[in-house]
Amino acid sequence: MPIHIPRHGFDHATPSDITPRAIYEQRRDLIKLLAGGAAGAVLAGWAARDAMAQTPRPGKLAALPGARSAVAGAVTMEKLTDYGDVTGYNNFYEFGTDKADPARHAHALQTSPWSVEIEGLVNKPGRYALEDLLKLSPMEERIYRLRCVEGWSMVIPWVGYSLSALIKRVEPQGSARYVEFVTLADPKQMPGLRSRVLDWPYTEALRLDEALHPLTLLTFGMYGEVLPKQNGAPVRLVVPWKYGFKSAKSIVKIRFIEQEPRTAWNKAAANEYGFYSNVNPDVDHPRWSQATERRIGEDGLFAKKRKTLLFNGYEAQVGQLYAGMDLRKNY
Ligand SMILES: Nc1nc2c(c(=O)[nH]1)N[C@H]1C(S)=C(S)[C@@H](COP(=O)(O)O)O[C@H]1N2
Ligand SMILES: [Mo]
């Protein structure tokens, strides 16, 4: 039975919040140490429960707990965005362009059975069943900021593991330079495909070193549960230092290629959506500034604005990937 934690106990990352977290981490380390011993099974159970205790579980979908991630930059102490906002205010154009459309229409999405085809320049191509992907590496919880190109942001506790675990498993060949993500495009399930707003299927891509970066999360859940359909069930990407549209939802194919591919948004408006799309307050979108953002749920819809951070605040972790590159040209 999941233990119930009152929401407000976790909503505000105040200094008084930080001490219990530190104690909690020490306890986890202790549990890990002890878990090797005879009482291992019981203690592992406690550890799993501890992981759950980090984040309030909404109790709406199947549980998918993840242990606190050890990856640097995986946790922000900012207040989590309300689950209702994270599941009610979405971009998922396959279900319509209005922010409320995905929550309204995504229930039609069949997420089981599901598989992801791995193809292109790898030694181990093939169709990977979702069940096998779920077991490929231990689940971690990562609290990441998601910064949408339109100027809003959220803070979400995602559950998944580094995409690098899967990439290493399929053994990219030396010529593989880019990783492309192809998402589901089924007109029977997705009413938004009737509109020509994008060239379906929605595709995205990363340079191989970006895809291998430990922060790049192959994501199966959020808030301790499997992903809601409007958030990209059953498997999506989350690339926290890039604008949200790089984080492709409902992935059906991962392709290893040599040349930088066009992406769905790049095809729609190349001057507005470059290949890199790293969050950058100094490079404006042609039609609006990127210097600030509004945090969903904070002080009303159009109230206070926050300063947008270079690489969405993950510069220490990912800045090196772009050393020597002109970020104005490679936007
Ligand atoms: N397949 C697909 N993936 C997608 C999109 C989409 O329209 N289709 N929208 C992107 C955009 S613009 C953003 S900001 C994020 C939003 O993710 P969220 O709704 O879980 O917050 O998903 C991204 N992934
Ligand atoms: Mo977005």
Side-chain angles (χ1 to χ4, degrees):
M1 270 296 288
I3 38 175
H4 181 76
I5 290 106
R7 270 209 67 88
H8 45 267
F10 289 84
D11 272 351
H12 300 274
T14 57
S16 66
D17 238 53
I18 292 162
T19 310
R21 272 189 185 249
I23 290 166
Y24 154 78
E25 293 209 326
Q26 284 169 15
R27 198 165 85 238
R28 263 191 69 80
D29 288 345
L30 184 67
I31 287 169
K32 262 195 212 147
L33 268 174
L34 294 170
V42 174
L43 289 162
W46 289 359
R49 236 177 33 171
D50 254 26
M52 298 287 295
Q54 301 161 55
T55 302
R57 225 199 107 191
K60 297 200 189 278
L61 300 169
L64 183 69
R68 267 300 272 295
S69 178
V71 173
V75 171
T76 160
M77 296 306 280
E78 292 167 306
K79 175 185 181 291
L80 297 181
T81 300
D82 188 76
Y83 185 81
D85 288 330
V86 177
T87 56
Y89 188 89
N90 300 96
N91 274 339
F92 200 166
Y93 276 19
E94 289 86 334
F95 295 103
T97 54
D98 192 275
K99 300 285 179 270
D101 282 340
R104 223 181 274 143
H105 300 301
H107 58 86
L109 179 66
Q110 284 288 330
T111 56
S112 176
W114 194 274
S115 60
V116 177
E117 182 89 32
I118 309 278
E119 61 174 49
L121 306 170
V122 291
N123 292 334
K124 294 184 170 164
R127 189 176 283 279
Y128 288 69
L130 184 72
E131 294 71 29
D132 296 330
L133 287 180
L134 284 164
K135 286 182 290 192
L136 191 105
S137 193
M139 288 292 165
E140 296 175 8
E141 180 176 81
R142 304 219 185 138
I143 301 170
Y144 282 158
R145 268 176 235 107
L146 183 135
R147 168 56 157 87
C148 178
V149 75
E150 292 159 85
W152 47 267
S153 61
M154 299 191 187
V155 177
I156 302 172
W158 301 106
V159 183
Y161 51 76
S162 292
L163 175 67
S164 64
L166 173 61
I167 295 180
K168 283 168 188 160
R169 186 67 63 98
V170 302
E171 298 178 12
Q173 296 166 359
S175 52
R177 284 266 155 72
Y178 293 89
V179 188
E180 186 181 38
F181 306 89
V182 182
T183 73
L184 185 72
D186 180 359
K188 291 197 290 296
Q189 305 181 56
M190 300 171 139
L193 297 190
R194 282 197 291 264
S195 151
R196 299 265 134 210
V197 60
L198 291 173
D199 181 10
W200 312 109
Y202 189 103
T203 62
E204 257 308 333
L206 297 170
R207 224 168 53 190
L208 183 60
D209 60 342
E210 297 178 319
L212 283 168
H213 192 282
L215 281 181
T216 301
L217 192 70
L218 191 64
T219 307
F220 302 89
M222 60 181 217
Y223 282 88
E225 301 181 356
V226 297
L227 282 172
K229 292 175 177 178
Q230 59 268 41
N231 293 88
V235 56
R236 68 174 294 175
L237 207 64
V238 181
V239 192
W241 70 95
K242 293 178 180 283
Y243 292 116
F245 64 88
K246 299 296 285 184
S247 296
K249 292 175 167 180
S250 305
I251 294 168
V252 292
K253 195 178 285 188
I254 302 179
R255 207 182 262 153
F256 291 76
I257 53 184
E258 191 161 0
Q259 304 292 331
E260 181 186 296
R262 300 293 301 275
T263 63
W265 278 105
N266 184 252
K267 282 190 240 175
N271 64 322
E272 300 188 4
Y273 310 106
F275 178 80
Y276 285 94
S277 297
N278 291 317
V279 174
N280 190 337
D282 301 326
V283 177
D284 289 341
H285 184 284
R287 291 182 280 133
W288 60 80
S289 162
Q290 291 291 19
T292 60
E293 65 202 52
R294 95 191 139 81
R295 179 66 47 83
I296 298 294
E298 204 171 69
D299 304 326
L301 226 52
F302 292 100
K304 191 178 130 203
K305 293 249 186 176
R306 290 176 173 245
K307 279 200 161 80
T308 287
L309 304 170
L310 183 60
F311 298 115
N312 200 21
Y314 301 95
E315 183 182 7
Q317 287 79 31
V318 302
Q320 249 333 95
L321 293 172
Y322 310 101
M325 275 177 64
D326 182 344
L327 296 176
R328 285 184 184 279
K329 264 205 207 130
N330 299 286
Y331 59 86

